[in-house]
């Protein structure tokens, strides 16, 4: 066992570099070549590798410190068979390698000299020409894997925009566009290993004002400086990748991602999209902790089911500053509004909805209902159309039990309910509430009228107990007292169907000989198409229509 200093290697001519990330902590066991910390000059970010295998005993610098060649940044215990002089020698070798890497990654004067700009053969024609962009000198690296393709076919790009990002084990570099123009066919894929001179992609380059052949050929040379692979610090993320996971903040076009190779590697391993990770390091640099915190929050949200409430990977809606258009006022959402919003979105995103429409002839039902007015006054109960709907739905649920289920998609089970409890959506000043009437099939119309009126009043008075809002198998939402001809209600999950009722209206109905004025009630049945098929939905609404068309059948 021996203690070894961890020193900053030759930085390829850079005087001082800033420590932007400390990757290890005291006590960490590291393998030889594991990154210890990341330093960044104005040209490159480079990870300083561990000079040996052992345990970190001290890190004597902090993020933001400036270091130069030879500075001691920490100490480590190296030991075992490879200890002593051998280990030291080996460590010195590594240190040298690191300095070479740093020197190579630094795309300053020396590498500019090395950079051999690719000079693709220009094919001229019309006002534009086709170019095949080749991989320039990669600062001494060979066979470097492509970790990101930053452009897509058809993109219009400026000269110097990042085309692809490659990553060696020492540095991340971008290959810039040698010209402004349009991206054609991309000739490489992520994971491909690139070396100088390989074909990268095709481009259509606009020629301005009838450019001469000489000028056209001179152009790539003019871009020679830009044609080097650039370190990742100037990276511009162009394409917004497919959303994944929970809360999604779409990156603004041109969002810069600052992250070192180790962080990029970690993000790739965890499937984290760095354009969505907020960097907490200097200049918004993304450090390992940021990636880990991001992944943790995504997992938590997915587990809590909040993902659907907040986007489920669907791009969020960016709000403009509305005050620029006129006067505004902001008010915090009530808990109920926020809970309703979450539930609605959860249902809408989880359930494949289909809505089946039907008109029920309620002319006779309404005659009967109106005839109950005096009786209702005696009982102190108002008979509205709702109890008839409740009764008809209870009958339909009993006859078509596939509507009285919930799905457990995790266990791949259908849960059938042997009871018929129906929720009624109630519009209240503080939001939508859904009290539940139990055992509707066992109750008479007056009982249902009284109970629904009582529960609706309790909802408006905020007097409902939680137990009075639980256990529904199905929901009725009636907008009939307000208006409208049809709507597509959202299934109140984990139920699998909901009946929307719109305003009844007199309509001419053909009876086979002539048109008759009939009071028609529009029904809109939304259902979860995973649980219920379309034919059953049509059966359900047809049955409802028959039951409401001849309420005597409700007695059967
Ligand atoms: N067609 C024509 N008239 C209708 C009708 C219909 N489908 N349904 C009710 N009416 C009439 C009633 O007969 C009553 O008229 P009269 O006073 O002349 O008898 C009037 O409209 C008001 O009825 P109501 O709405 O007070 O009573 P209800 O039992 O039909 O409904 C309730 C109770 C709680 C469902 C209702 O008050 C309510 O809150 N509806 C809104 C539900 C809602 O917001 N749904 C949307 C959820 S999704 O955002």
């Amino acid at each position: 066992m021996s203690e070894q200093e961890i020193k900053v290697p030759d930085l390829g001519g850079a005087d001082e570099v800033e420590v932007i990330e400390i990757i290890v902590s005291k006590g960490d066991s590291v393998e030889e070549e594991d990154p210890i910390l990341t330093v960044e000059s104005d040209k490159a970010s480079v990870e300083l590798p561990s000079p040996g295998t052992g345990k970190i005993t001290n890190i004597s610098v902090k993020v933001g410190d400036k270091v130069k060649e030879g500075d001691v940044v920490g100490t480590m215990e190296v030991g075992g068979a490879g200890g002593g002089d051998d280990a030291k020698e080996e460590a010195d070798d590594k240190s040298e390698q690191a300095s070479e890497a740093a020197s190579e990654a630094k795309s300053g004067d020396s590498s500019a000299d090395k950079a051999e700009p690719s000079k693709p053969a220009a094919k001229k024609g019309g006002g534009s020409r086709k170019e095949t962009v080749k991989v320039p000198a990669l600062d001494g690296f060979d066979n470097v894997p492509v970790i990101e393709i930053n452009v897509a076919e058809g993109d219009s790009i400026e000269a110097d925009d990042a085309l692809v990002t490659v990553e060696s084990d020492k540095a991340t570099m971008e290959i810039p566009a040698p010209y402004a123009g349009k991206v054609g066919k991309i000739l490489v894929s992520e994971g491909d290993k690139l070396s100088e001179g390989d074909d990268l992609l095709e481009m259509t380059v606009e020629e301005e004002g009838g450019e001469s052949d000489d000028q056209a050929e001179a152009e790539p040379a003019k871009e020679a400086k830009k044609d080097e692979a650039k370190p990742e610090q100037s990276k511009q993320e162009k394409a917004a990748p497919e959303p994944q996971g929970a809360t999604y903040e779409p990156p603004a076009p041109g969002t810069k991602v600052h992250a070192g190779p180790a962080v990029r590697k970690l993000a790739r391993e965890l499937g984290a999209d760095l354009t969505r990770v907020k960097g907490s390091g200097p200049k918004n640099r993304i450090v390992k902790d940021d990636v880990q915190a991001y992944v943790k929050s995504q997992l938590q949200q997915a587990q809590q089911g909040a993902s659907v409430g907040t986007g489920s990977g669907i791009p969020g809606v960016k709000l403009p500053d509305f005050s620029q258009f006129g006067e505004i006022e902001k008010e915090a959402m009530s808990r109920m509004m926020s809970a309703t919003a979450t539930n609605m979105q959860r249902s809408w995103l989880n359930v494949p909805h289909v809505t089946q429409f039907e008109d029920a002839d309620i002319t006779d039902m309404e005659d009967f209902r109106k005839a109950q007015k005096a009786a209702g006054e005696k009982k102190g109960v108002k008979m509205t159309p709702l109890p008839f709907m409740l009764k008809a739905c209870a009958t339909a649920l009993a006859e078509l039990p596939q509507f009285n289920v919930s799905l457990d998609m995790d266990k791949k089970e259908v849960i059938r309910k042997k009871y018929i409890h129906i929720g009624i959506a109630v519009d209240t000043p503080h939001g939508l509430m859904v009290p539940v009437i139990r055992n509707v099939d066992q109750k008479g119309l007056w009982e249902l009228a009284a109970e629904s009126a009582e529960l609706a009043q309790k909802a408006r008075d905020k007097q409902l107990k939680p137990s009075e809002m639980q256990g529904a198998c199905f929901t009725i939402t009636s907008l009939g007292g307000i208006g409208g001809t049809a709507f597509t209600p959202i299934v109140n999950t984990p139920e699998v169907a909901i009946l929307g009722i719109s305003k009844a209206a007199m309509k001419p109905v053909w009876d086979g000989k002539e048109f008759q004025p009939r009071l028609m009630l529009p029904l809109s049945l939304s259902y979860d198409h995973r649980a219920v098929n379309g034919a059953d939905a049509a059966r359900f609404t047809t049955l409802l229509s028959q039951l409401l068309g001849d309420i005597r059948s409700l007695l059967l």
Side-chain angles (χ1 to χ4, degrees), residues 369 382 384-386 425 427 460 477-481 502-504 521:
R369 185 181 72 86
K382 186 178 169 190
T384 66
L386 186 64
D427 179 32
R460 291 181 191 114
T477 173
S478 172
L479 297 176
S502 296
K503 191 175 178 64
L521 178 74

Side-chain angles (χ1 to χ4, degrees), residues 449-495:
E451 201 175 330
S452 55
E454 187 195 330
L455 285 172
Q457 195 52 48
K458 272 181 147 182
R460 291 181 191 114
D461 296 343
K462 286 192 176 178
Q463 295 296 319
L464 284 175
K465 295 187 210 119
S467 61
E468 289 172 313
M469 293 185 279
Q470 290 165 359
C473 312
F474 181 89
T475 295
I476 296 178
T477 173
S478 172
L479 297 176
I482 305 170
T485 53
F487 62 112
T488 54
I490 296 178
V491 172
N492 195 12
T493 45
E495 298 157 32

Side-chain angles (χ1 to χ4, degrees), residues 12 16 51 119 189 215 262-263 272 302 334 338 373 383 395 397 433 457 553:
E16 266 194 338
K119 290 194 185 178
S189 311
Q215 280 170 317
V263 172
S334 66
S338 136
K373 201 171 171 198
M383 181 66 80
T395 306
L397 286 169
M433 302 194 82
Q457 195 52 48
S553 54

